[in-house]
């Protein structure tokens, strides 16, 4: 069936976007808002938002605090979503930017912090959303990962790559378990997007390694989310969709 027959399918849909102020999150928020969805954006307790991050996200969208290290906070956020939006059909999980350093120079405490925030936190967000969606017989869970978690060739991001690789594998297991319930679980693995390289004036060297010759646009990430969240994406689950301009292929 053509996606044109579903052009109004997000009207009134209850969408939770955890970390919606970060990275490509604002583009995702705007895309759902433009299609008439009801949205609650989760502000991450461990990431203080800058003025620019707040300004990038649609100002009229409702927000609520969430601490992804606290299971009670995650449950409270989803309860608020259900109460304010009338349900929970779609959950999108976006993580904060990564800090870099040589693997041997990163202290154990930093490894633990990154794993907590980039893997264990999103895992609990996925599980709690999955429980609620499975009980209703429908749901879409989409997490943002990174090509670092698939390729393992990027320097200076060891704990982040480990967390994102774990998130991809975890999502596949949960996808298999939830598939009979009508809930899909997918991951989007991005590489070199506009929000990542905004502070780099000369991108010549970066672009040499990207076959399409440019960095990704946040709107393209939002379109990928729209597809995976749509009725036409219902046969896709357990996938880690590459958005890398051909830089990585599998």
């Amino acid at each position: 069936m053509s996606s044109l027959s579903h052009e109004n399918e997000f009207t009134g849909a209850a969408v939770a976007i955890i970390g919606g102020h970060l990275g490509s999150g604002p583009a995702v928020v705007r895309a759902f808002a433009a299609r008439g969805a009801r949205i609650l954006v989760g502000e991450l307790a461990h990431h203080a938002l800058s003025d620019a991050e707040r300004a990038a996200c649609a100002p009229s969208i409702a927000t609520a605090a969430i601490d992804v290290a606290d299971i009670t906070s995650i449950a409270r956020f989803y309860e608020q979503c259900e109460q304010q939006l009338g349900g929970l059909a779609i959950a999108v999980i976006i993580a904060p930017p990564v800090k870099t350093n040589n693997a041997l120079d990163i202290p154990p405490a930093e490894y633990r912090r990154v794993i907590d925030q980039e893997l264990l936190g999103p895992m609990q967000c996925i599980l709690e959303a999955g429980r609620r969606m499975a009980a209703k017989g429908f749901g879409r869970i989409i997490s943002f990962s990174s090509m670092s978690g698939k390729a393992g060739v990027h320097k200076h991001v060891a704990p982040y790559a480990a967390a994102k690789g774990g998130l991809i594998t975890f999502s596949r297991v949960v996808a298999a378990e939830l598939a009979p319930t009508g809930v899909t679980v997918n991951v989007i693995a991005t590489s070199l997007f506009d929000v990542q390289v905004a502070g780099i004036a000369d991108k010549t060297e970066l672009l040499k390694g990207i076959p399409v010759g440019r960095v990704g646009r946040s709107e393209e990430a939002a379109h990928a989310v729209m597809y995976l969240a749509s009725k036409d994406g219902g046969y896709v689950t357990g996938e880690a969709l590459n958005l890398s301009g051909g830089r990585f292929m599998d």
Side-chain angles (χ1 to χ4, degrees), residues 84-138:
Q84 292 187 12
L85 309 182
L88 177 64
I90 301 162
V92 183
I93 302 162
I94 303 167
V98 62
K99 295 181 179 179
T100 64
N101 204 346
N102 291 322
L104 299 182
D105 296 329
I106 299 174
E110 179 64 7
Y111 273 94
R112 183 175 296 277
R113 184 191 70 80
V114 173
I115 296 298
D116 283 346
Q117 293 182 7
E118 304 283 351
L119 176 57
L120 297 181
M123 283 171 57
Q124 293 302 325
C125 292
I126 290 170
L127 291 172
E128 185 62 26
R131 292 186 186 101
R132 294 167 185 268
M133 292 173 177
K136 301 292 180 57
F138 176 85

Side-chain angles (χ1 to χ4, degrees), residues 1-233:
M1 184 179 294
S2 169
S3 61
L4 292 177
S5 63
H6 306 317
E7 59 184 6
N8 297 318
E9 70 173 290
F10 294 121
T11 300
V15 182
I17 306 179
I18 297 172
H21 292 87
L22 309 175
S24 296
V28 175
V29 172
R30 290 192 295 270
F32 274 116
R35 290 160 176 80
R38 293 171 293 175
I39 304 166
L40 182 64
V41 172
E43 292 192 18
L44 299 179
H46 63 268
H47 181 86
L49 294 174
S50 66
D51 291 340
E53 287 169 334
R54 286 192 178 279
C57 201
S60 61
I61 300 300
T63 64
I66 179 171
D67 182 355
V68 298
D70 182 352
I71 296 175
T72 301
S73 177
I74 294 170
R76 187 184 308 118
F77 172 78
Y78 283 133
E79 287 169 6
Q80 190 168 346
C81 178
E82 292 175 331
Q83 291 169 1
Q84 292 187 12
L85 309 182
L88 177 64
I90 301 162
V92 183
I93 302 162
I94 303 167
V98 62
K99 295 181 179 179
T100 64
N101 204 346
N102 291 322
L104 299 182
D105 296 329
I106 299 174
E110 179 64 7
Y111 273 94
R112 183 175 296 277
R113 184 191 70 80
V114 173
I115 296 298
D116 283 346
Q117 293 182 7
E118 304 283 351
L119 176 57
L120 297 181
M123 283 171 57
Q124 293 302 325
C125 292
I126 290 170
L127 291 172
E128 185 62 26
R131 292 186 186 101
R132 294 167 185 268
M133 292 173 177
K136 301 292 180 57
F138 176 85
R140 300 283 188 262
I141 302 174
I142 302 154
S143 301
F144 273 81
S145 181
S146 166
M147 289 306 306
S148 296
K150 297 185 75 174
V153 298
H154 298 153
K155 298 179 181 179
H156 314 308
V157 292
Y160 179 79
K164 293 308 179 185
L167 181 62
I168 291 170
T169 305
F170 172 80
S171 296
R172 287 173 173 161
V173 174
V174 178
E177 293 182 358
L178 289 179
T181 72
V183 179
T184 64
V185 183
N186 290 290
V187 177
I188 295 175
T190 59
S191 177
L192 292 179
F193 264 62
D194 46 15
V195 290
Q196 295 173 286
V197 300
I200 302 176
D202 185 0
K203 300 179 179 63
T204 304
E205 290 302 313
L206 289 177
L207 298 182
K208 287 180 180 178
I210 306 175
V212 301
R214 63 172 176 83
V215 299
R217 304 185 184 105
S218 291
E219 290 74 17
E220 292 171 316
H223 282 301
V225 172
M226 294 295 108
Y227 169 66
L228 293 173
S230 72
K231 292 182 176 69
D232 285 332

